[in-house]
Amino acid sequence: MSAFIGDMTSEPEVYTEESGPETGEITMETQGASESTSQQTIEPPSTQGNLRHRMLQKTGLSQPQPKDDTVEYPADDQYGLFEQGRDYEPVYVTHKYTKEEQRTLSSFESVDYLPPHSEIYKQWLKNQGPLGYNLGRWVIMGLIGFFVGMIGFLLHDLIEEIAHLKWHLTRQFIDDNDFVLACVVAIAYSMVFIIFSSFIVVFLRPSAGGSGIPEVTGFLNGTMVRHIFNVKTLAVKFFSCVAAVGCGLPVGPEGPMIHMGALVGAGLSQFQSETLRINLPIFERFRTSEDRRNFISAGAAAGVASAFGSPVGGLLFSMEEVSSFWTTTLSWQIFFCCMISTFTTDLFNSAFAGFQYTGGFGQFKTTRYILFNIERGIDVNILMFIPTIIIGLIGGLLGAVFTILHLKMTRGRKRLLANIQSEWLQKILRIFEPAVIIIIVSILSVYLPQAFGCTKFTCIEGVSGDVSVNCMNDTRNPLHVESTVETYNCKRGAITGMTNTTVYTNSTYNEMATLMFGTLENAVKRLFSRDTHLQFGFGSLLTMLVIYFLLICWATGTSVASGALVPMLLVGGLYGRVVGLLMTRMFGVHSEDFGYWAWMDPGVFSLIGAASFFGGVTRLALAVTVIMMELTNDVQVLLPVMVSVMVAKWVGDFFTHPIYHALLELKCIPLLDPEPRVRIDKQQLNLDLYKAGDIMSSPVITVQMRESVSVLSTLILNTTHGGFPVISKTPDGRESFFGIITRMELIVLLKNEVLFKPERDAEESLEEDEGPSWVEYNQLNVHKLTDPHATSVMLQKYSTDSRYGSLYIDLRKFVNQSSLSIQEKFSLQRTYIIFRTLGLRHLTVVDSQNTVKGLITRKDLMGFYMEERLEEKMKRRPTLELDDLQNRGAEAGNHVV
């Protein structure tokens, strides 16, 4: 084995390899540290008394993977409340990490998108055979779509049943004017479900909390995240989401549906489960990193399709937000998966309502399969774009405020829990935090409507004219108040008169109760309703907006499975309706079916507002636009929705990163953006002016094609690197880069002593063309150790027993021979593009002689790290240039003499 020594001891906190947190901890790498780049041979292990052997974890690393991040907070966080680059960070500003956060960031392991292209992989492919490959992929896509659609149907129906029973019981006591008992019943009923929801997350699977979208995005970008694709996570996620959303917590099920869809894609496509101890010999060809990641992308898209009834929106959401690698073929396959998912959910919705058979099997009614169906569209007017732009501005501003506030609350929660020493007390607080929120929601739902008076029914008598009160409906004008409004404690009344065209009533209703009773989806439907210009007033809309804006920020960060997509629609729908109501107050009520001013409908602006807030928080343009169209069946407002989303995105980008990216940064999960952004002294750097050698990690530990067992064992025990370049000898004796072998592959090889050969036999094996080793690809294709303790003991024996110093392993068949390498002078901009586009884990840097000079990993390409390295280089440049000029001057003087 050879090693480049030096260069990294000045910054021990910064990782040098894909999983190495501190080179200062690795004795092998700090012996004789200097700026030299010459290769030095490591002494035999028996002569190195200062080697520190550490126990391996299941991941094959000697350091544990990050645990539940909810209770972890960096002790060195000294940033200010509004420090640019933390929570307030325009999209062009790189996120700032503390040194402790950088160590957490470095502890995450990365994965290649493509499987290692070794000799045993090629032999494995030959054994799979060419038949049925594409057909099998389509079959799996269909199965994923079907099961995700089934989960979506069960999830929504269970939520509806829980919520219906809660409000049915509460209304009975409200009708009797017994508000105290109504409040007690609502709280008691909700507490049972919310404590159950948080309990199973905190005690059984903390990774099931939240929406799961950031974690899925991070994994599909190339980072391993613990326990996010486990059948136990799926079960906890499902029941926690059902209980939390059903009992009335101001969260939505759509985020968890995306995570559960990804879970189905990860598990079903592999036909194996460690938890259930299932390993079916079906479709084994798809057990590669590339196929698994593609199926996870399809599952996430199917989750959106089932949750929103939006197959095209699901495809675009996966492409725009979740997935990092995309092809045209994958687009068709995911489109098929989304189609099957939506079809399955709609098919069961057509036949069942509240788990009771309705007899309409196969009849897809718009009221069931279009979540917020709009029955009457409007003609778009050019004047409509003026309030649309205003709504977009509000959406971008409120979206940025929502993101910052949510991050501040999350950091505050983490700081509080980190300061509590007792683990049990931490868990109790996490369980009862959502319970406090549900108590507040229940009290407000029961008592707050009393602060608002009763509202009379209104309509317009005739084709046009003034608004009349105590008028329920007029067939000549579409203006009306929905019959499903909540009376609360208001006068129910009766029909007081009727003509051929008009119905009169003395009934009244409560605006706030109409918005607060039931699920958030019901509130959004009422906000989107058309020709209901005067159904809600400014007071109820603005009060609801303030209360739910704050509660949603708080609730979506608690320890329950929850999403924020439908809550976003509610917030946007509220301020959008306020703008629409303001238009009617300024210019009058225009509710005619056709006419120049018919576009002035508060329900229309509510839909536009919902899209703007959705876009202002997530910064998705394509997905949000298409989802809103498929959600409402209102294609006529496509252009205004597009305008509001784009304006909201532009405004939001000026203040914060998109919320899911900001949460990844908060969780310290490494993510490579589609394009690199590096700013120094407030100037955006053109990375084409820099080279790969400027940010590469060096020196690099390399291994020979034929390496001793003791050296490999010592290497595994005393380093934390995820992969090692393998070098071969050229005929003239130079060392040339041959390929990459990963840490886990070396561990698997070391566990098979049949591969150990004496030095002479190992040398001869390099000249022979042997058949494939009995250690096959499916044995190397593992991600966790079954018994890390036994493996650690075995490796320690290999590293200390002198017998294994003369035994060697021929790595030729196991090395990834298609691993990429670039030269030091290669453009840094293009290095980033190649690394991210191909989903690499390691990128080797070589010189013109193909000698290994450095290594680039995911963390080396993180924005903050490139800024540090390039800034350091820029500071050294004047000194280097001065030294160069002095040397040239000296040479010129000598020449003259």
Side-chain angles (χ1 to χ4, degrees), residues 2-18:
S2 301
F4 291 133
I5 307 298
D7 185 56
M8 296 307 297
T9 54
S10 60
E11 281 291 333
E13 298 88 358
V14 180
Y15 36 78
T16 63
E17 290 283 348
E18 192 258 317

Side-chain angles (χ1 to χ4, degrees), residues 99-111:
K99 293 299 182 182
E100 189 173 330
E101 287 175 332
Q102 290 179 24
R103 286 192 289 271
T104 302
L105 194 81
S106 69
S107 64
F108 283 95
E109 190 176 2
S110 299
V111 287

Side-chain angles (χ1 to χ4, degrees), residues 317-345:
F317 187 91
S318 181
M319 180 186 73
E320 196 174 0
E321 173 62 30
V322 180
S323 301
S324 296
F325 313 103
W326 203 264
T327 63
T328 304
T329 303
L330 184 62
S331 298
W332 283 106
Q333 292 165 348
I334 293 182
F335 181 80
F336 173 71
C337 182
C338 292
M339 180 188 73
I340 296 297
S341 175
T342 306
F343 176 81
T344 303
T345 303

